[in-house]
Amino acid sequence: MAAPFDLRFDCGRICLDLMATTGRSAERLAGPEQLAAWLVGAGVVPGSAQLGAVDRGWVVRFRMLRELLRRVVHDELRGRAADGDLRLLNAAAAAAPVPPARAVRADDGALVRALAVPPDCAGLLAAVARDAIGMLTDAVARGQLRQCEGESCALVYLDTSRGRRRRWCSSEVCGNRERVARHRRRAEGRAGRPPAVSAQVPLPAVRTVPTNT
């Protein structure tokens, strides 16, 4: 089943999935409803969490963290992030953690995760920031960081594929766009070629018979 609001959870880390909520001029954290869906879909909170407190202020703060993550991750891919941005990331991670999840019985008898109290915005931001710190300080995870090769796509993902040959954030999205573009380029190349010249069969020489005058 497709994720709500066209959200994506296939980048390999919670922090990268937050970065994927924007791209190609698309804003997927348009309001509180979208943010609440992202928090559950990304696994930051269990589906049973009470998220009635999510409001526009939360959306603004998560967008600010998303922009910070975008700078830090892309700068680390190119070389090193700015010290000021690292201080901001560390400060975001220093907030009180989200209340621990408990195992409770659902109506059908299955065990599910639940929070003892509703989470606050700072704690949820801290959970995402700590995920980013854990990723950036893990040599294995850093070695798997890739930027999508799709045209005009700036998404970053963890390449855990065999042989580390994954090229796109999504084979169905950017990969399919690249295949369509490649097919179009081949078709245009064929259309632009001059028509082949067929071999000319030489005509037999015509002997001229002199006439008497």
Side-chain angles (χ1 to χ4, degrees), residues 46 48 99-105 111-117:
S48 61
R102 303 178 302 164
V104 299
R105 292 285 179 192
L111 284 175
V112 297
R113 290 193 310 143
L115 300 180
V117 296

Side-chain angles (χ1 to χ4, degrees), residues 25-95:
S25 302
E27 175 56 75
R28 297 183 176 91
L29 293 185
E33 190 177 3
Q34 287 84 352
L35 176 56
W38 182 84
L39 290 168
V40 173
V44 182
V45 297
S48 61
Q50 300 177 32
L51 296 174
V54 178
D55 59 15
R56 287 281 175 183
W58 286 41
V59 174
V60 170
R61 294 174 70 180
F62 267 88
R63 287 182 183 175
M64 291 174 63
L65 177 61
R66 182 182 64 189
E67 177 60 20
L68 174 63
L69 291 174
R70 187 195 64 78
R71 292 198 306 270
V72 170
V73 171
H74 282 277
D75 286 350
E76 284 294 307
L77 278 173
R78 290 189 290 261
R80 57 184 295 166
D83 291 343
D85 282 341
L86 290 179
R87 285 194 293 270
L88 290 174
L89 182 63
N90 290 333

Side-chain angles (χ1 to χ4, degrees), residues 150-196:
E151 184 179 354
S152 73
C153 181
L155 295 190
V156 177
Y157 58 89
L158 288 189
D159 181 7
T160 57
S161 65
R162 181 176 297 180
R164 303 293 186 266
R165 296 180 178 178
R166 181 177 168 187
R167 297 177 54 197
W168 302 294
C169 62
S170 169
S171 179
E172 291 75 22
V173 182
C174 287
N176 188 57
R177 287 195 187 104
E178 176 60 26
R179 287 187 288 270
V180 170
R182 192 185 308 135
H183 175 75
R184 185 183 301 115
R185 288 193 295 268
R186 284 198 299 263
E188 291 173 350
R190 288 193 296 268
R193 291 180 196 147

Side-chain angles (χ1 to χ4, degrees), residues 10-25:
D10 56 355
C11 293
R13 296 291 293 232
I14 291 173
C15 57
L16 299 180
D17 284 340
L18 178 60
M19 290 169 56
T21 58
T22 186
R24 292 183 178 272
S25 302

Side-chain angles (χ1 to χ4, degrees), residues 103-161:
V104 299
R105 292 285 179 192
D107 293 339
D108 61 0
L111 284 175
V112 297
R113 290 193 310 143
L115 300 180
V117 296
D120 64 5
C121 185
L124 296 177
L125 291 166
V128 180
R130 284 193 288 267
D131 179 69
I133 291 172
M135 178 186 70
L136 293 170
T137 56
D138 181 337
V140 174
R142 280 186 66 104
Q144 296 171 339
L145 279 172
R146 301 285 187 275
Q147 182 168 334
C148 180
E149 294 182 19
E151 184 179 354
S152 73
C153 181
L155 295 190
V156 177
Y157 58 89
L158 288 189
D159 181 7
T160 57
S161 65

